Amino acid sequence: MPKLFDFELVFSQIPEILRYLPITLEIAFISMILSLLIGLATALIKIKQIPVLRRISAFYVSFMRGTPIIVQLYLTFYAVPMVLQYINYYYGTNYNTNSIPPILFVLLTFALNEGAYNSESIRAAIQSVDRGGIEAGHAMGMTTFQTLRRIILPEALIVALPTLGNSLIGLIKGTSLAFVCSVVEMTAAGKLLASRNFRFFEMYVSLAIIYWVVTIVLERLMAHWEKRLKVNERRLPVDDPNQRLAQEIR
């Protein structure tokens, strides 16, 4: 009777899967960085209540949060070449739609998707910042950008970091959907490797172990970073915004 479960195979094939871990991390971290920029811009648009952009950002957030990411991947994968073909036809250009690296579709989709979710976390974190520090910054002659960079964002980061950390962990696990755009990351590689011996269950156990370990490492790093930020925050007096601002500038 053949083995129903090959325990040794679970660990012996992990090194083969780990060869594709850099691709998974590349997708996750680049998408996360882009999503933070998109989320910050969207959050500021909502906070400042910019008339036209506010409606566009509300539609963007609603669409991204209301549709499955796998559908968004398919839309991006087929829509971008269609747009390039339209540009070629009407403007006489010669863009090669087949030369677009598939990973660009994945990065664009994940960045837009995460940006919609991160925008709400960032907006809530920014609005939780004490108004006294902001007013003190303006009183000392700071510009809006300087106040945002030196006062608002450092304090908002402490509030938003746990949520953003969870978003990053979810993004790493969500990269398993990149295969719909022909990007071979860890999960896709595992499926291809398992097709050689049809030991798919062992392969999925191996993938689960790798994702679990990566998640634990990220959780520890985020917890350590959050702790350090809170320690630095406690070193500053909170009862006097002007004094705290002066220490931050020094």
PDB file of all heavy atoms in Angstrom, residues 165-203:
ATOM      1  N   GLY A 165       0.810  46.634   9.496  1.00  0.00           N
ATOM      2  CA  GLY A 165       1.534  45.367   9.607  1.00  0.00           C
ATOM      3  C   GLY A 165       0.660  44.189   9.224  1.00  0.00           C
ATOM      4  O   GLY A 165       1.107  43.274   8.518  1.00  0.00           O
ATOM      5  N   ASN A 166      -0.583  44.224   9.669  1.00  0.00           N
ATOM      6  CA  ASN A 166      -1.519  43.157   9.280  1.00  0.00           C
ATOM      7  C   ASN A 166      -1.782  43.175   7.775  1.00  0.00           C
ATOM      8  O   ASN A 166      -1.940  42.118   7.153  1.00  0.00           O
ATOM      9  CB  ASN A 166      -2.837  43.312  10.045  1.00  0.00           C
ATOM     10  CG  ASN A 166      -2.689  42.993  11.515  1.00  0.00           C
ATOM     11  OD1 ASN A 166      -1.818  42.220  11.907  1.00  0.00           O
ATOM     12  ND2 ASN A 166      -3.540  43.587  12.341  1.00  0.00           N
ATOM     13  N   SER A 167      -1.822  44.369   7.194  1.00  0.00           N
ATOM     14  CA  SER A 167      -2.027  44.476   5.740  1.00  0.00           C
ATOM     15  C   SER A 167      -0.857  43.860   4.986  1.00  0.00           C
ATOM     16  O   SER A 167      -1.057  43.180   3.967  1.00  0.00           O
ATOM     17  CB  SER A 167      -2.189  45.943   5.339  1.00  0.00           C
ATOM     18  OG  SER A 167      -3.340  46.509   5.928  1.00  0.00           O
ATOM     19  N   LEU A 168       0.357  44.077   5.478  1.00  0.00           N
ATOM     20  CA  LEU A 168       1.537  43.504   4.829  1.00  0.00           C
ATOM     21  C   LEU A 168       1.519  41.986   4.903  1.00  0.00           C
ATOM     22  O   LEU A 168       1.819  41.302   3.912  1.00  0.00           O
ATOM     23  CB  LEU A 168       2.812  44.052   5.468  1.00  0.00           C
ATOM     24  CG  LEU A 168       4.129  43.483   4.927  1.00  0.00           C
ATOM     25  CD1 LEU A 168       4.260  43.737   3.430  1.00  0.00           C
ATOM     26  CD2 LEU A 168       5.315  44.073   5.686  1.00  0.00           C
ATOM     27  N   ILE A 169       1.147  41.458   6.058  1.00  0.00           N
ATOM     28  CA  ILE A 169       1.065  40.001   6.210  1.00  0.00           C
ATOM     29  C   ILE A 169      -0.002  39.431   5.274  1.00  0.00           C
ATOM     30  O   ILE A 169       0.204  38.412   4.616  1.00  0.00           O
ATOM     31  CB  ILE A 169       0.766  39.645   7.677  1.00  0.00           C
ATOM     32  CG1 ILE A 169       1.976  39.981   8.553  1.00  0.00           C
ATOM     33  CG2 ILE A 169       0.405  38.164   7.824  1.00  0.00           C
ATOM     34  CD1 ILE A 169       1.722  39.846  10.038  1.00  0.00           C
ATOM     35  N   GLY A 170      -1.156  40.090   5.215  1.00  0.00           N
ATOM     36  CA  GLY A 170      -2.202  39.640   4.305  1.00  0.00           C
ATOM     37  C   GLY A 170      -1.775  39.744   2.853  1.00  0.00           C
ATOM     38  O   GLY A 170      -2.137  38.894   2.028  1.00  0.00           O
ATOM     39  N   LEU A 171      -0.963  40.758   2.549  1.00  0.00           N
ATOM     40  CA  LEU A 171      -0.486  40.938   1.176  1.00  0.00           C
ATOM     41  C   LEU A 171       0.462  39.814   0.778  1.00  0.00           C
ATOM     42  O   LEU A 171       0.412  39.318  -0.356  1.00  0.00           O
ATOM     43  CB  LEU A 171       0.206  42.290   1.051  1.00  0.00           C
ATOM     44  CG  LEU A 171       0.673  42.716  -0.342  1.00  0.00           C
ATOM     45  CD1 LEU A 171      -0.492  42.713  -1.325  1.00  0.00           C
ATOM     46  CD2 LEU A 171       1.304  44.105  -0.283  1.00  0.00           C
ATOM     47  N   ILE A 172       1.322  39.405   1.706  1.00  0.00           N
ATOM     48  CA  ILE A 172       2.245  38.305   1.412  1.00  0.00           C
ATOM     49  C   ILE A 172       1.468  37.030   1.111  1.00  0.00           C
ATOM     50  O   ILE A 172       1.792  36.293   0.165  1.00  0.00           O
ATOM     51  CB  ILE A 172       3.218  38.104   2.586  1.00  0.00           C
ATOM     52  CG1 ILE A 172       4.217  39.261   2.630  1.00  0.00           C
ATOM     53  CG2 ILE A 172       3.958  36.766   2.466  1.00  0.00           C
ATOM     54  CD1 ILE A 172       5.184  39.197   3.786  1.00  0.00           C
ATOM     55  N   LYS A 173       0.445  36.767   1.886  1.00  0.00           N
ATOM     56  CA  LYS A 173      -0.362  35.571   1.625  1.00  0.00           C
ATOM     57  C   LYS A 173      -1.188  35.731   0.345  1.00  0.00           C
ATOM     58  O   LYS A 173      -1.440  34.748  -0.360  1.00  0.00           O
ATOM     59  CB  LYS A 173      -1.279  35.297   2.822  1.00  0.00           C
ATOM     60  CG  LYS A 173      -0.516  34.885   4.080  1.00  0.00           C
ATOM     61  CD  LYS A 173      -1.433  34.574   5.228  1.00  0.00           C
ATOM     62  CE  LYS A 173      -2.052  35.822   5.805  1.00  0.00           C
ATOM     63  NZ  LYS A 173      -2.838  35.549   7.039  1.00  0.00           N
ATOM     64  N   GLY A 174      -1.570  36.956   0.037  1.00  0.00           N
ATOM     65  CA  GLY A 174      -2.358  37.194  -1.165  1.00  0.00           C
ATOM     66  C   GLY A 174      -1.575  37.085  -2.452  1.00  0.00           C
ATOM     67  O   GLY A 174      -2.168  36.962  -3.534  1.00  0.00           O
ATOM     68  N   THR A 175      -0.237  37.112  -2.362  1.00  0.00           N
ATOM     69  CA  THR A 175       0.569  36.979  -3.575  1.00  0.00           C
ATOM     70  C   THR A 175       0.380  35.622  -4.248  1.00  0.00           C
ATOM     71  O   THR A 175       0.792  35.456  -5.405  1.00  0.00           O
ATOM     72  CB  THR A 175       2.068  37.166  -3.263  1.00  0.00           C
ATOM     73  OG1 THR A 175       2.466  36.226  -2.245  1.00  0.00           O
ATOM     74  CG2 THR A 175       2.347  38.575  -2.769  1.00  0.00           C
ATOM     75  N   SER A 176      -0.230  34.683  -3.554  1.00  0.00           N
ATOM     76  CA  SER A 176      -0.480  33.371  -4.158  1.00  0.00           C
ATOM     77  C   SER A 176      -1.420  33.473  -5.356  1.00  0.00           C
ATOM     78  O   SER A 176      -1.510  32.540  -6.163  1.00  0.00           O
ATOM     79  CB  SER A 176      -1.063  32.413  -3.124  1.00  0.00           C
ATOM     80  OG  SER A 176      -2.277  32.921  -2.591  1.00  0.00           O
ATOM     81  N   LEU A 177      -2.122  34.615  -5.483  1.00  0.00           N
ATOM     82  CA  LEU A 177      -3.031  34.814  -6.619  1.00  0.00           C
ATOM     83  C   LEU A 177      -2.316  35.361  -7.848  1.00  0.00           C
ATOM     84  O   LEU A 177      -2.931  35.510  -8.902  1.00  0.00           O
ATOM     85  CB  LEU A 177      -4.157  35.770  -6.231  1.00  0.00           C
ATOM     86  CG  LEU A 177      -5.108  35.294  -5.114  1.00  0.00           C
ATOM     87  CD1 LEU A 177      -6.056  36.420  -4.738  1.00  0.00           C
ATOM     88  CD2 LEU A 177      -5.880  34.073  -5.572  1.00  0.00           C
ATOM     89  N   ALA A 178      -1.018  35.658  -7.710  1.00  0.00           N
ATOM     90  CA  ALA A 178      -0.288  36.262  -8.834  1.00  0.00           C
ATOM     91  C   ALA A 178      -0.191  35.333 -10.032  1.00  0.00           C
ATOM     92  O   ALA A 178       0.079  35.789 -11.145  1.00  0.00           O
ATOM     93  CB  ALA A 178       1.112  36.676  -8.374  1.00  0.00           C
ATOM     94  N   PHE A 179      -0.415  34.050  -9.822  1.00  0.00           N
ATOM     95  CA  PHE A 179      -0.282  33.081 -10.906  1.00  0.00           C
ATOM     96  C   PHE A 179      -1.327  33.309 -11.999  1.00  0.00           C
ATOM     97  O   PHE A 179      -1.129  32.875 -13.138  1.00  0.00           O
ATOM     98  CB  PHE A 179      -0.391  31.656 -10.363  1.00  0.00           C
ATOM     99  CG  PHE A 179       0.028  30.604 -11.356  1.00  0.00           C
ATOM    100  CD1 PHE A 179       1.212  30.744 -12.052  1.00  0.00           C
ATOM    101  CD2 PHE A 179      -0.752  29.484 -11.591  1.00  0.00           C
ATOM    102  CE1 PHE A 179       1.619  29.783 -12.971  1.00  0.00           C
ATOM    103  CE2 PHE A 179      -0.363  28.516 -12.508  1.00  0.00           C
ATOM    104  CZ  PHE A 179       0.832  28.660 -13.200  1.00  0.00           C
ATOM    105  N   VAL A 180      -2.425  33.987 -11.676  1.00  0.00           N
ATOM    106  CA  VAL A 180      -3.438  34.255 -12.705  1.00  0.00           C
ATOM    107  C   VAL A 180      -2.887  35.205 -13.770  1.00  0.00           C
ATOM    108  O   VAL A 180      -3.436  35.285 -14.868  1.00  0.00           O
ATOM    109  CB  VAL A 180      -4.735  34.826 -12.087  1.00  0.00           C
ATOM    110  CG1 VAL A 180      -5.291  33.901 -11.037  1.00  0.00           C
ATOM    111  CG2 VAL A 180      -4.511  36.215 -11.509  1.00  0.00           C
ATOM    112  N   CYS A 181      -1.810  35.934 -13.438  1.00  0.00           N
ATOM    113  CA  CYS A 181      -1.145  36.803 -14.411  1.00  0.00           C
ATOM    114  C   CYS A 181       0.159  36.183 -14.909  1.00  0.00           C
ATOM    115  O   CYS A 181       1.052  36.900 -15.387  1.00  0.00           O
ATOM    116  CB  CYS A 181      -0.869  38.174 -13.790  1.00  0.00           C
ATOM    117  SG  CYS A 181      -2.348  39.128 -13.403  1.00  0.00           S
ATOM    118  N   SER A 182       0.282  34.869 -14.742  1.00  0.00           N
ATOM    119  CA  SER A 182       1.445  34.113 -15.227  1.00  0.00           C
ATOM    120  C   SER A 182       2.729  34.438 -14.480  1.00  0.00           C
ATOM    121  O   SER A 182       3.825  34.273 -15.024  1.00  0.00           O
ATOM    122  CB  SER A 182       1.670  34.357 -16.729  1.00  0.00           C
ATOM    123  OG  SER A 182       0.510  34.010 -17.464  1.00  0.00           O
ATOM    124  N   VAL A 183       2.619  34.920 -13.242  1.00  0.00           N
ATOM    125  CA  VAL A 183       3.790  35.158 -12.402  1.00  0.00           C
ATOM    126  C   VAL A 183       3.986  33.948 -11.496  1.00  0.00           C
ATOM    127  O   VAL A 183       3.084  33.585 -10.731  1.00  0.00           O
ATOM    128  CB  VAL A 183       3.627  36.440 -11.559  1.00  0.00           C
ATOM    129  CG1 VAL A 183       4.808  36.612 -10.611  1.00  0.00           C
ATOM    130  CG2 VAL A 183       3.496  37.652 -12.468  1.00  0.00           C
ATOM    131  N   VAL A 184       5.147  33.338 -11.563  1.00  0.00           N
ATOM    132  CA  VAL A 184       5.418  32.129 -10.775  1.00  0.00           C
ATOM    133  C   VAL A 184       6.069  32.541  -9.467  1.00  0.00           C
ATOM    134  O   VAL A 184       7.263  32.834  -9.403  1.00  0.00           O
ATOM    135  CB  VAL A 184       6.327  31.155 -11.548  1.00  0.00           C
ATOM    136  CG1 VAL A 184       6.587  29.906 -10.716  1.00  0.00           C
ATOM    137  CG2 VAL A 184       5.707  30.783 -12.883  1.00  0.00           C
ATOM    138  N   GLU A 185       5.283  32.591  -8.414  1.00  0.00           N
ATOM    139  CA  GLU A 185       5.809  32.819  -7.059  1.00  0.00           C
ATOM    140  C   GLU A 185       5.754  31.497  -6.301  1.00  0.00           C
ATOM    141  O   GLU A 185       5.701  30.441  -6.912  1.00  0.00           O
ATOM    142  CB  GLU A 185       5.046  33.945  -6.365  1.00  0.00           C
ATOM    143  CG  GLU A 185       3.550  33.957  -6.594  1.00  0.00           C
ATOM    144  CD  GLU A 185       2.864  32.770  -5.977  1.00  0.00           C
ATOM    145  OE1 GLU A 185       2.972  32.601  -4.752  1.00  0.00           O
ATOM    146  OE2 GLU A 185       2.232  32.007  -6.719  1.00  0.00           O
ATOM    147  N   MET A 186       5.767  31.546  -4.986  1.00  0.00           N
ATOM    148  CA  MET A 186       5.912  30.311  -4.204  1.00  0.00           C
ATOM    149  C   MET A 186       4.784  29.317  -4.422  1.00  0.00           C
ATOM    150  O   MET A 186       5.020  28.127  -4.665  1.00  0.00           O
ATOM    151  CB  MET A 186       6.028  30.641  -2.702  1.00  0.00           C
ATOM    152  CG  MET A 186       7.389  31.063  -2.254  1.00  0.00           C
ATOM    153  SD  MET A 186       7.636  30.860  -0.484  1.00  0.00           S
ATOM    154  CE  MET A 186       6.194  31.674   0.190  1.00  0.00           C
ATOM    155  N   THR A 187       3.550  29.776  -4.324  1.00  0.00           N
ATOM    156  CA  THR A 187       2.428  28.854  -4.463  1.00  0.00           C
ATOM    157  C   THR A 187       2.355  28.265  -5.863  1.00  0.00           C
ATOM    158  O   THR A 187       2.133  27.056  -6.029  1.00  0.00           O
ATOM    159  CB  THR A 187       1.107  29.570  -4.129  1.00  0.00           C
ATOM    160  OG1 THR A 187       1.172  30.082  -2.796  1.00  0.00           O
ATOM    161  CG2 THR A 187      -0.074  28.625  -4.244  1.00  0.00           C
ATOM    162  N   ALA A 188       2.551  29.108  -6.883  1.00  0.00           N
ATOM    163  CA  ALA A 188       2.543  28.606  -8.253  1.00  0.00           C
ATOM    164  C   ALA A 188       3.678  27.616  -8.478  1.00  0.00           C
ATOM    165  O   ALA A 188       3.488  26.571  -9.117  1.00  0.00           O
ATOM    166  CB  ALA A 188       2.657  29.774  -9.225  1.00  0.00           C
ATOM    167  N   ALA A 189       4.860  27.934  -7.933  1.00  0.00           N
ATOM    168  CA  ALA A 189       5.989  27.015  -8.065  1.00  0.00           C
ATOM    169  C   ALA A 189       5.697  25.694  -7.374  1.00  0.00           C
ATOM    170  O   ALA A 189       6.056  24.620  -7.865  1.00  0.00           O
ATOM    171  CB  ALA A 189       7.252  27.657  -7.492  1.00  0.00           C
ATOM    172  N   GLY A 190       5.028  25.765  -6.213  1.00  0.00           N
ATOM    173  CA  GLY A 190       4.676  24.541  -5.498  1.00  0.00           C
ATOM    174  C   GLY A 190       3.745  23.655  -6.298  1.00  0.00           C
ATOM    175  O   GLY A 190       3.910  22.423  -6.334  1.00  0.00           O
ATOM    176  N   LYS A 191       2.780  24.271  -6.965  1.00  0.00           N
ATOM    177  CA  LYS A 191       1.857  23.491  -7.796  1.00  0.00           C
ATOM    178  C   LYS A 191       2.594  22.815  -8.947  1.00  0.00           C
ATOM    179  O   LYS A 191       2.336  21.649  -9.273  1.00  0.00           O
ATOM    180  CB  LYS A 191       0.754  24.394  -8.342  1.00  0.00           C
ATOM    181  CG  LYS A 191      -0.208  24.924  -7.293  1.00  0.00           C
ATOM    182  CD  LYS A 191      -1.236  25.841  -7.930  1.00  0.00           C
ATOM    183  CE  LYS A 191      -2.189  26.408  -6.898  1.00  0.00           C
ATOM    184  NZ  LYS A 191      -3.183  27.313  -7.503  1.00  0.00           N
ATOM    185  N   LEU A 192       3.518  23.559  -9.564  1.00  0.00           N
ATOM    186  CA  LEU A 192       4.267  22.984 -10.685  1.00  0.00           C
ATOM    187  C   LEU A 192       5.184  21.851 -10.222  1.00  0.00           C
ATOM    188  O   LEU A 192       5.301  20.819 -10.901  1.00  0.00           O
ATOM    189  CB  LEU A 192       5.091  24.085 -11.367  1.00  0.00           C
ATOM    190  CG  LEU A 192       4.288  25.206 -12.040  1.00  0.00           C
ATOM    191  CD1 LEU A 192       5.217  26.299 -12.555  1.00  0.00           C
ATOM    192  CD2 LEU A 192       3.442  24.647 -13.181  1.00  0.00           C
ATOM    193  N   LEU A 193       5.811  22.044  -9.068  1.00  0.00           N
ATOM    194  CA  LEU A 193       6.690  20.995  -8.545  1.00  0.00           C
ATOM    195  C   LEU A 193       5.890  19.754  -8.132  1.00  0.00           C
ATOM    196  O   LEU A 193       6.338  18.619  -8.337  1.00  0.00           O
ATOM    197  CB  LEU A 193       7.472  21.532  -7.341  1.00  0.00           C
ATOM    198  CG  LEU A 193       8.532  22.600  -7.646  1.00  0.00           C
ATOM    199  CD1 LEU A 193       9.074  23.201  -6.353  1.00  0.00           C
ATOM    200  CD2 LEU A 193       9.664  22.014  -8.474  1.00  0.00           C
ATOM    201  N   ALA A 194       4.700  19.959  -7.562  1.00  0.00           N
ATOM    202  CA  ALA A 194       3.882  18.826  -7.122  1.00  0.00           C
ATOM    203  C   ALA A 194       3.330  18.032  -8.297  1.00  0.00           C
ATOM    204  O   ALA A 194       3.006  16.839  -8.140  1.00  0.00           O
ATOM    205  CB  ALA A 194       2.727  19.325  -6.257  1.00  0.00           C
ATOM    206  N   SER A 195       3.236  18.652  -9.449  1.00  0.00           N
ATOM    207  CA  SER A 195       2.721  17.931 -10.615  1.00  0.00           C
ATOM    208  C   SER A 195       3.670  16.826 -11.089  1.00  0.00           C
ATOM    209  O   SER A 195       3.277  15.969 -11.877  1.00  0.00           O
ATOM    210  CB  SER A 195       2.456  18.910 -11.761  1.00  0.00           C
ATOM    211  OG  SER A 195       3.658  19.530 -12.188  1.00  0.00           O
ATOM    212  N   ARG A 196       4.911  16.849 -10.602  1.00  0.00           N
ATOM    213  CA  ARG A 196       5.861  15.808 -11.001  1.00  0.00           C
ATOM    214  C   ARG A 196       5.561  14.475 -10.330  1.00  0.00           C
ATOM    215  O   ARG A 196       5.742  13.426 -10.914  1.00  0.00           O
ATOM    216  CB  ARG A 196       7.299  16.245 -10.665  1.00  0.00           C
ATOM    217  CG  ARG A 196       7.742  17.516 -11.394  1.00  0.00           C
ATOM    218  CD  ARG A 196       9.156  17.880 -11.055  1.00  0.00           C
ATOM    219  NE  ARG A 196       9.373  18.028  -9.620  1.00  0.00           N
ATOM    220  CZ  ARG A 196      10.496  18.481  -9.077  1.00  0.00           C
ATOM    221  NH1 ARG A 196      11.517  18.834  -9.864  1.00  0.00           N
ATOM    222  NH2 ARG A 196      10.610  18.584  -7.768  1.00  0.00           N
ATOM    223  N   ASN A 197       5.120  14.525  -9.076  1.00  0.00           N
ATOM    224  CA  ASN A 197       4.849  13.280  -8.343  1.00  0.00           C
ATOM    225  C   ASN A 197       3.410  13.201  -7.820  1.00  0.00           C
ATOM    226  O   ASN A 197       3.052  12.241  -7.140  1.00  0.00           O
ATOM    227  CB  ASN A 197       5.827  13.120  -7.174  1.00  0.00           C
ATOM    228  CG  ASN A 197       5.852  14.353  -6.273  1.00  0.00           C
ATOM    229  OD1 ASN A 197       4.952  15.190  -6.317  1.00  0.00           O
ATOM    230  ND2 ASN A 197       6.890  14.475  -5.466  1.00  0.00           N
ATOM    231  N   PHE A 198       2.608  14.240  -8.119  1.00  0.00           N
ATOM    232  CA  PHE A 198       1.197  14.289  -7.709  1.00  0.00           C
ATOM    233  C   PHE A 198       1.020  14.236  -6.192  1.00  0.00           C
ATOM    234  O   PHE A 198      -0.015  13.797  -5.700  1.00  0.00           O
ATOM    235  CB  PHE A 198       0.395  13.157  -8.369  1.00  0.00           C
ATOM    236  CG  PHE A 198       0.397  13.233  -9.866  1.00  0.00           C
ATOM    237  CD1 PHE A 198       1.223  12.415 -10.619  1.00  0.00           C
ATOM    238  CD2 PHE A 198      -0.411  14.155 -10.530  1.00  0.00           C
ATOM    239  CE1 PHE A 198       1.249  12.498 -12.004  1.00  0.00           C
ATOM    240  CE2 PHE A 198      -0.403  14.241 -11.908  1.00  0.00           C
ATOM    241  CZ  PHE A 198       0.430  13.408 -12.661  1.00  0.00           C
ATOM    242  N   ARG A 199       2.036  14.710  -5.465  1.00  0.00           N
ATOM    243  CA  ARG A 199       1.946  14.812  -4.010  1.00  0.00           C
ATOM    244  C   ARG A 199       1.553  16.257  -3.654  1.00  0.00           C
ATOM    245  O   ARG A 199       2.313  17.006  -3.048  1.00  0.00           O
ATOM    246  CB  ARG A 199       3.289  14.447  -3.377  1.00  0.00           C
ATOM    247  CG  ARG A 199       3.626  12.967  -3.440  1.00  0.00           C
ATOM    248  CD  ARG A 199       2.790  12.216  -2.415  1.00  0.00           C
ATOM    249  NE  ARG A 199       3.174  10.805  -2.334  1.00  0.00           N
ATOM    250  CZ  ARG A 199       2.694   9.961  -1.433  1.00  0.00           C
ATOM    251  NH1 ARG A 199       1.810  10.373  -0.556  1.00  0.00           N
ATOM    252  NH2 ARG A 199       3.068   8.708  -1.428  1.00  0.00           N
ATOM    253  N   PHE A 200       0.341  16.619  -4.014  1.00  0.00           N
ATOM    254  CA  PHE A 200      -0.100  17.990  -3.814  1.00  0.00           C
ATOM    255  C   PHE A 200      -0.334  18.308  -2.339  1.00  0.00           C
ATOM    256  O   PHE A 200      -0.048  19.427  -1.897  1.00  0.00           O
ATOM    257  CB  PHE A 200      -1.385  18.258  -4.620  1.00  0.00           C
ATOM    258  CG  PHE A 200      -1.157  18.352  -6.094  1.00  0.00           C
ATOM    259  CD1 PHE A 200      -1.303  17.245  -6.924  1.00  0.00           C
ATOM    260  CD2 PHE A 200      -0.764  19.550  -6.667  1.00  0.00           C
ATOM    261  CE1 PHE A 200      -1.078  17.334  -8.284  1.00  0.00           C
ATOM    262  CE2 PHE A 200      -0.554  19.658  -8.038  1.00  0.00           C
ATOM    263  CZ  PHE A 200      -0.705  18.539  -8.851  1.00  0.00           C
ATOM    264  N   PHE A 201      -0.821  17.358  -1.579  1.00  0.00           N
ATOM    265  CA  PHE A 201      -1.100  17.638  -0.168  1.00  0.00           C
ATOM    266  C   PHE A 201       0.194  17.951   0.577  1.00  0.00           C
ATOM    267  O   PHE A 201       0.246  18.919   1.362  1.00  0.00           O
ATOM    268  CB  PHE A 201      -1.803  16.440   0.481  1.00  0.00           C
ATOM    269  CG  PHE A 201      -2.174  16.688   1.919  1.00  0.00           C
ATOM    270  CD1 PHE A 201      -3.206  17.556   2.248  1.00  0.00           C
ATOM    271  CD2 PHE A 201      -1.478  16.082   2.955  1.00  0.00           C
ATOM    272  CE1 PHE A 201      -3.549  17.792   3.565  1.00  0.00           C
ATOM    273  CE2 PHE A 201      -1.812  16.312   4.270  1.00  0.00           C
ATOM    274  CZ  PHE A 201      -2.849  17.172   4.582  1.00  0.00           C
ATOM    275  N   GLU A 202       1.239  17.156   0.338  1.00  0.00           N
ATOM    276  CA  GLU A 202       2.520  17.424   0.993  1.00  0.00           C
ATOM    277  C   GLU A 202       3.065  18.790   0.588  1.00  0.00           C
ATOM    278  O   GLU A 202       3.640  19.511   1.406  1.00  0.00           O
ATOM    279  CB  GLU A 202       3.533  16.329   0.637  1.00  0.00           C
ATOM    280  CG  GLU A 202       3.305  15.003   1.340  1.00  0.00           C
ATOM    281  CD  GLU A 202       2.312  14.109   0.621  1.00  0.00           C
ATOM    282  OE1 GLU A 202       1.633  14.606  -0.311  1.00  0.00           O
ATOM    283  OE2 GLU A 202       2.201  12.935   0.969  1.00  0.00           O
ATOM    284  N   MET A 203       2.871  19.135  -0.675  1.00  0.00           N
ATOM    285  CA  MET A 203       3.341  20.434  -1.152  1.00  0.00           C
ATOM    286  C   MET A 203       2.615  21.577  -0.459  1.00  0.00           C
ATOM    287  O   MET A 203       3.233  22.577  -0.054  1.00  0.00           O
ATOM    288  CB  MET A 203       3.162  20.538  -2.664  1.00  0.00           C
ATOM    289  CG  MET A 203       3.647  21.862  -3.259  1.00  0.00           C
ATOM    290  SD  MET A 203       5.397  22.165  -2.961  1.00  0.00           S
ATOM    291  CE  MET A 203       6.124  20.891  -4.023  1.00  0.00           C
TER     292      MET A 203
END
